[in-house]
Amino acid sequence: MSRRAVILAGGMGTRLRPYTVVLPKPLMPIGDYPILEVIIRQLIAGGFQHITLAVNHQAELIKAFFQDGDKWGVRIDYSLEDEPLGTMGPLRLIKDLPENFLVMNGDILTDLNYADFHDTHVRDGNIFTISSKTRQHRIDYGVLDTSESGLLTGFREKPTAEYKVSMGVYMVSSGAVEHIPQRGAYGFDQLMLDLLAAGKPATVRDFAGYWLDIGRPDDYALAIEQFETMQSRFLNG
């Protein structure tokens, strides 16, 4: 099965400043590699033959590093945004997308099996598939439950809330692309609401493995530390 991927690599990386003043976030190093190279190597291992990088901020640095992908034995091309188009807006600029393709952020460290994620979406005929991760958030305060009259009805000391979050990895069908408007910025959130309104909800697929978004300094430092000891988990060989 031919597999195609689009990597969203055009963000400003404002949460990682001042690092991203010098380098675009996808070129921030994790061990011996930029995070985007780790992703590309993983996709190649998963049988993806054609990767499009949707670029904007510091695009020339990214293009100079990856060029046409010949160094890695894969076809890499580029889609350049003239203005910020949000998460899903860049897809309308790419005219040769197949019926089903993978879309992901360019700053994710995970051991997700991209090939299995791709093929399951195709097999099930989903319009849009979201890879999700269950996260826990501890509230650092005592939580008060009260009645409408102000009487205490319950108390929870520093409870933990559990919720599912998007990993920033998606499988997209051409049917979903049809909902993306031709002009203006258009985000993942807008597409999800439009699909719900159209009665075509996305499928959420839970993932139990490793996932980290390196968008914040603390998470970036953690990714560097863990990649050093877990590199074989992300890059076989």
Side-chain angles (χ1 to χ4, degrees), residues 73-93:
V74 67
R75 177 185 174 189
I76 295 178
D77 56 19
Y78 301 86
S79 176
L80 179 63
E81 304 172 27
D82 294 327
E83 59 181 350
L85 296 177
T87 314
M88 295 289 119
L91 299 181
R92 67 170 175 261
L93 300 179

Side-chain angles (χ1 to χ4, degrees), residues 43-198:
L43 290 173
I44 293 168
F48 287 78
Q49 299 95 5
H50 185 179
I51 299 171
T52 298
L53 303 182
V55 294
N56 183 343
H57 177 62
Q58 296 181 313
E60 293 307 315
L61 289 177
I62 295 174
K63 292 168 74 172
F65 187 90
F66 290 104
Q67 301 183 45
D68 62 1
D70 183 64
K71 174 180 176 181
W72 296 272
V74 67
R75 177 185 174 189
I76 295 178
D77 56 19
Y78 301 86
S79 176
L80 179 63
E81 304 172 27
D82 294 327
E83 59 181 350
L85 296 177
T87 314
M88 295 289 119
L91 299 181
R92 67 170 175 261
L93 300 179
I94 307 171
K95 303 305 182 184
D96 62 342
L97 291 171
E99 179 69 20
N100 296 281
F101 56 96
L102 184 140
V103 178
M104 65 179 295
N105 296 338
D107 57 357
I108 295 169
L109 183 63
T110 181
D111 59 355
L112 175 70
N113 186 323
Y114 293 111
D116 177 67
F117 183 64
H118 175 286
D119 294 354
T120 300
H121 165 91
V122 174
R123 183 196 67 211
D124 294 347
N126 299 332
I127 189 168
F128 195 105
T129 305
I130 306 166
S131 186
S132 74
K133 183 73 175 174
T134 299
R135 306 292 274 180
Q136 292 185 337
H137 175 70
R138 184 181 181 188
I139 301 172
D140 291 330
Y141 303 96
V143 174
L144 306 176
D145 300 317
T146 61
S147 67
E148 291 184 3
S149 61
L151 295 176
L152 184 70
T153 60
F155 176 77
R156 289 165 290 152
E157 176 62 23
K158 299 181 179 179
T160 299
E162 190 171 89
Y163 50 91
K164 292 182 181 181
V165 300
S166 167
M167 291 170 53
V169 183
Y170 320 107
M171 277 298 302
V172 186
S173 74
S174 58
V177 176
E178 292 173 1
H179 289 264
I180 300 175
Q182 290 302 308
R183 293 180 175 82
Y186 188 77
F188 165 75
D189 55 337
Q190 293 169 289
L191 179 56
M192 293 303 98
L193 293 174
D194 285 346
L195 289 177
L196 285 171

